[in-house]
Amino acid sequence: MAFNYVVTAHKPTAVNACVTGNFTSKSDLNLIVAKNTRLEIYLVTPEGLRPIKEIGIYGKISVLKLYRPKDEEKDLLFLLTARYHAMILECEQDGENIEIITRAYGSVQDRIGRPSETGIIGIIDPQCRMIGLRLYDGLFKVIPLERDIKELKAFNIRLEELNVIDVQFLHGCAEPTIIIVHQDTHGRHVKTYEVSLREKEFQRGPWKQDNVETEANMVIAVPLPVCGALIIGQESITYHKGDSFLAVAPPIIKQSTITCYGRVDSDGSRYLLGDMAGRLFMLLLDREENSSTVRDLKVEQLGETSIAECLTYLDNGVVFVGSRLGDSQLIKLNQEPDVHGFYVQILESFTNLGPIVDMCVVDLERQDQGQLVTCSGAYKEGSLRIIRNGIGIQEHASIDLAGIKGIWPLRVGSSAWDNMLVLTFVGQTRVLMLNGEEVEETEVSGFDSGQQTFWCGNVAHGQVLQITAQSLRLGNAGTKKLVDEWKPKSDRHVSVASCNGRQVVCAVGSELYYLEILPGSLKQTSHCTMEYEVACIDISPLTENAETAEICAVGLWMDISARLVKLPDFENLHIEMLGGEIILRSILMTTFEGIHYLLCALGDGSLFYFILNPETGILTDRKKVTLGTQPTVLHTFRSLSTTNVFACSDRPTVVYSSNHKLVFSNVNLKEVNYMCPLNSEGYPDSLALANDNTLTIGTIDEIQKLHIRTVALGETPRRIAYQEASQTFAVITARTDILDSNGMMPSRPSASTLTPNVIVSTSSNSKLTSSGIGGTLSEHQGEEIEVHNLLVLDQHTFEVLVAYQLMNNEFPTSLLSAKLGDDPNTYYIVGTATVYPEEAEPKQGKIIIFQYFDGKLVQVAEKEIKGAPYSMCEFNGKLLAGINSSVRLFEWTAEKELRIECSHLNNILALYLKTKGDFILVGDLMRSVTLLAYKAMDGLFEEIARDYNPNWMTAIEILDDDTFLGAENSFNLFTCQKDSAATTDEERQHLQEVGLFHLGDFVNVFKHGSLVMRHPGEISTPTQGSVLFGTVNGSIGLVTQLSPDFYSFMAELQSKLAKVIRSVGKVEHADWRAFNTERKTEPSTAFIDGDLTESFLDLNRDKMQEIANGLQIDDGSGMKHEATVDDLIKIVEELTRIH
């Protein structure tokens, strides 16, 4: 099977650009954030950032700029992708509905041209006359901005300066004028040019300046009235304005490189600067009074943030720090310094998994559910992230109680907390008193404990209500005594009921009764008879803070319908036939993000949901999902001030809303039959959950589809391995130390310096002085040196148990936990390279074998090798290593030594190794992949086949015996197949590239495994296997294999979807997913784009129908029939389940 389905399980989180302005309307202040291929639009509110829209772009976002032409009321967005698709986007708002429309688009790619090494630069003239782009060396591209342009047409102007470092448009110039910083053999210089639209040429600029600072890397154009430009270097900041010139060299900025800036005031008198060390500075242009002349530049450090990729000032001293190497942040700049003398206060952090350098899949909880532990971030932002699918419930208490049929919290007496828990069983009701964390059984005199309770709780006017089959009993919450009782006529029994604190609707067979709760009495105000028996009722108020409901939702038995009736007179508003044979078990009206919904759960675990109009009671947008296989019961609860719905079944699920879409997230419990929110003194903000034999009280994690836990390291993690035997993780990290007169000092506290248990390597054969560099210490004072450690962490607490510090010139390149030969012990094996500055590639290295037991890390063996062991893996009880250009196999002798057995030498650099059985897949630096077989009898490697395409590999994986997956450095994925059936030897030696796909992200690691709990007995879609991958931008993806029949159906669905779902910027889906390198572009084959497929679920019913028309589906018997919308929803939903 060589057909694959690729889908994003976690969207990219690294921020590459952010802008702020009035995009959604003239009065809205928006923050727009670019995360690789996604654009997120936020509204800046007094409470913080509110996400309002997220759109996928068919391309990696390279340039993101807001600008406002003369006659526009709001800003337009200019966006350019890495493959040179340019677009101008506008936001149109219609009530709650926000649409991003493409005003103009076009490709600005040249047929020839050398892409600039310093990347794509895009700038917009302050008066919006043109857009300037620096894409290729020696060319400046101009897009004139005329009114009502539909197609973006560009022309090139030759630029004599080949190596342009940065470019900006100057303010306050009659003609559009650019300023460039460029480099030649003599140094770096500043030059200005006027751009003439008529001549399509450069004219001489107003001024130039030769020989600015050699490390000048950024230019900032200062707006009116000051004008001019700031040149930011490694050591100095210079202000230029032709005739005037001002330079400062504050020592504080020298320690690191300034990488980004954000303007604070519209007149450009203050700028925020961020550097690679995560420090935030304020640059102030001190002007002479009542004049635009700058007399001084002042720089002050404000504090520390995440390492910033981009900075944007929002309002009221609040700044968004977008980070690529760590979590992005929302910070506030305070007027007064804190105890450390800093002005930065962090308001909110936004999790970023990028860059994911390595990861492992483990099942720590033994629940058949994989967790992903990633090496994320870099430098001080380095961390481990533990990623689990679904929502975690932290258990605080549990009681063994079998046969619970319902649970409710109760407040009795004058308590501000819930102090009782009512449990009902068949034929009886029991009350538990909660006293701190203690629980004991008690009685409530007004309750009937010899009956099963249908509903119980606190109601209006300081009263409590119990509803049983016999009657409705109203009691006083203070005295617990009965004050009123209502019984149905002529000895009939209540079958179901719903109450909201002021109103009760109960059903007796097919009759409905409506009662109001008054002080000391229950008053029946109306009643009616339905056509069939009532299965479920709900009268939840829809509007926030409303105490009474105006609509009642009813589910009926025989015709399987959901009805909405008006209270108090039960006038029929809407009837929705659900169809099928499975009856309704639970019905619920709720509001998420201002949209009203009706949820209907059936007896087979499926759930229908509709959008509900509260005025008319009409239901629209019918959708269906399958949550479990057992009857489902719905309850609302609040978490972090948002309302969510808990669906109890054999696969408990939390329903919540994100970006105005319902999301269904599974909970890490095997089964929940009943739940209720609980807020008692001993268990605040908790949930009580009951299954067949236990009552559990716990708190719920933050609600999101993937649950992410962060273990901050404060240094860069490079490799990770898990060892089940010792219940530990090993992580290779790198930190920076600074040389001073006393030797080396860590530049900041981090995981390897904070652990008390540090072992320093004292290897005998190092030919270096103690500092790792030749010469005397004084010559190198202040130099930064990279120090590498092997950390061993506890698998549960992630506390560092021991740190092993390697020698200064020893760079660890690989890490593995394995058993070798007949040795019963499990070892951690570290591969290191000895790096000298004068060597092009390492000529020496070591393989060191450690054992961790009883809290000690002991070195068992060490093997010197000739080169860097880039990759190692366990292979049939032996150790396989990719060392420089060779692949070598070592066996573990009884004397606990590594002995070389055989080698294979035909590579440039053997960077990646994966094994299956006797087969070895080698990923090369630039020669794609090679398949080797190990011949045990002869003790040698045989080259079976190789891919002759020159792919620069970044990660590899073996999918099955004949199919291999690779990722390469132009952001593509490909699969190769071994052709065993070929007739000639030559054909057999070729690995055929059968699948091609452009992912648009740089993959660092593939691992077999899944984040989803597989439930036995589930019929799933025909997918096989699951490979997870982690990328530089922090996204986690999944590749699974499809059967040929299912693939051809999915390919047809994909092509229809690509016609209906149009991307902004009018980029074709086929262009975006085409395999693309500098050498060639080929259409995508044998891969299905899961992100596009899953967006089918966001379409409205009419669009879904348009896609379903003409699609043929196999019904399992070999016969084909027309696919219905529900067929497609079911297929796509099952595909969303795999991640």
Side-chain angles (χ1 to χ4, degrees), residues 770-841:
S770 62
S771 65
I773 22 184
T776 60
L777 276 175
S778 56
E779 285 173 37
H780 297 283
Q781 257 191 36
E783 259 188 42
E784 294 186 341
I785 294 177
E786 215 173 352
V787 177
H788 295 88
N789 282 274
L790 171 71
L791 307 181
V792 179
L793 295 92
D794 179 279
Q795 76 169 32
H796 298 299
T797 62
F798 284 90
E799 152 194 21
V800 179
L801 303 168
V802 59
Y804 182 92
Q805 182 175 319
L806 292 155
M807 307 203 0
N808 294 339
N809 54 339
E810 229 177 345
F811 274 60
T813 51
S814 48
L815 171 67
L816 155 82
S817 165
K819 279 174 123 166
L820 297 174
D822 302 329
D823 192 334
N825 300 318
T826 311
Y827 296 115
Y828 277 127
I829 306 170
V830 180
T832 71
T834 311
V835 176
Y836 298 115
E838 65 275 9
E839 292 181 353
E841 61 180 52

Side-chain angles (χ1 to χ4, degrees), residues 1014-1027:
R1014 286 284 183 185
H1015 291 265
E1018 251 182 46
I1019 33 167
S1020 180
T1021 46
T1023 64
Q1024 204 188 343
S1026 165
V1027 171

Side-chain angles (χ1 to χ4, degrees), residues 876 878 901 918 933-941:
N876 303 336
K878 299 173 183 173
E901 184 178 326
D918 282 334
Y934 172 64
K935 299 282 186 240
M937 299 302 287
D938 312 331
L940 54 85
F941 291 128

Side-chain angles (χ1 to χ4, degrees), residues 7-23:
V7 65
T8 309
H10 184 265
K11 297 194 178 93
T13 47
V15 172
N16 12 13
C18 56
V19 288
T20 182
N22 312 96
F23 183 61

Side-chain angles (χ1 to χ4, degrees), residues 472-484:
L472 278 60
R473 301 170 66 91
L474 187 68
N476 180 313
T479 64
K480 309 186 199 170
K481 298 219 169 2
L482 187 68
V483 291
D484 193 20

Side-chain angles (χ1 to χ4, degrees), residues 23 27 66 229 242 361 410 477 508 556 600 611 644 755 1139:
F23 183 61
S27 56
L66 281 175
V361 185
L410 204 60
V508 179
L556 300 189
C600 309
I611 289 180
N644 306 291
T755 175
H1139 64 83

